[in-house]
Amino acid sequence: MAAPAPVIPLRPRLARRLLAVAAAVVVLVLVGGVGVTLWALQPAPVTLVASATLYAFPAWVGSTGSAVVEQTAAGARFVDVTFQAPATEGGFREVWLISSDTSQLVSLGVVRGDTGRFTIPDGLDLTRYDLVDISEEPIDGNPEHSGDSILRGQLRSAA
């Protein structure tokens, strides 16, 4: 039977160098991973497209609001509304884009609370649908505008 091969210890300096290199690689991987994670979690950049001050209708004196339209780099558009209006019972608030001549309108959705973010349908021309409207809607199953506008304002281009 052959004798076991002798164990030759690594030179202390070589072992320290290997340990230092391994530690440096671990640190680089961790820092790189954190950097990539932070980059991936950043919100998509947006461009301000237009904004509007929303003015109260006579039945809603004292109500105030604003709207901002933003566009992502991918082309998606959103309108953000913020407003203050007296609370009511038995209804809900809906956000609309209305044509300048008020003959056509598009519902963007129901707003809960006093702020909301709504997707603007692709292809909707904001030079034509340039009025932002927040209405009080009864719970009656009718999807049309109730005619009870709380606030309305005209979008102005940010350019």
Side-chain angles (χ1 to χ4, degrees):
M1 178 179 252
V7 174
I8 301 173
L10 292 175
R11 289 180 286 175
R13 272 201 278 170
L14 179 60
R16 281 194 301 266
R17 284 184 191 158
L18 287 174
L19 185 60
V21 168
V25 167
V26 168
V27 167
L28 286 174
V29 168
L30 287 173
V31 168
V34 168
V36 167
T37 300
L38 290 175
W39 176 79
L41 292 176
Q42 283 184 332
V46 295
T47 301
L48 178 64
V49 174
S51 63
T53 300
L54 305 180
Y55 297 99
F57 275 69
W60 296 91
V61 173
S63 299
T64 61
S66 63
V68 175
V69 176
E70 296 175 326
Q71 183 169 340
T72 67
R77 297 176 301 165
F78 301 92
V79 63
D80 294 312
V81 296
T82 303
F83 68 99
Q84 296 291 320
T88 60
E89 291 188 31
F92 60 94
R93 273 72 194 272
E94 192 165 358
V95 176
W96 306 81
L97 287 177
I98 302 177
S99 62
S100 300
D101 64 3
T102 67
S103 66
Q104 296 182 328
L105 60 161
V106 174
S107 171
L108 297 181
V110 174
V111 64
R112 290 168 176 75
D114 55 8
T115 62
R117 182 172 180 87
F118 303 91
T119 301
I120 298 171
D122 290 340
L124 190 71
D125 182 0
L126 291 181
T127 60
R128 182 159 185 237
Y129 289 87
D130 63 343
L131 298 175
V132 177
D133 181 275
I134 300 174
S135 66
E136 177 72 17
E137 298 291 330
I139 301 174
D140 60 4
N142 184 348
E144 295 179 13
H145 194 293
S146 66
D148 188 7
S149 291
I150 302 169
L151 296 159
R152 186 177 292 170
Q154 186 170 26
L155 290 169
R156 304 275 183 219
S157 175

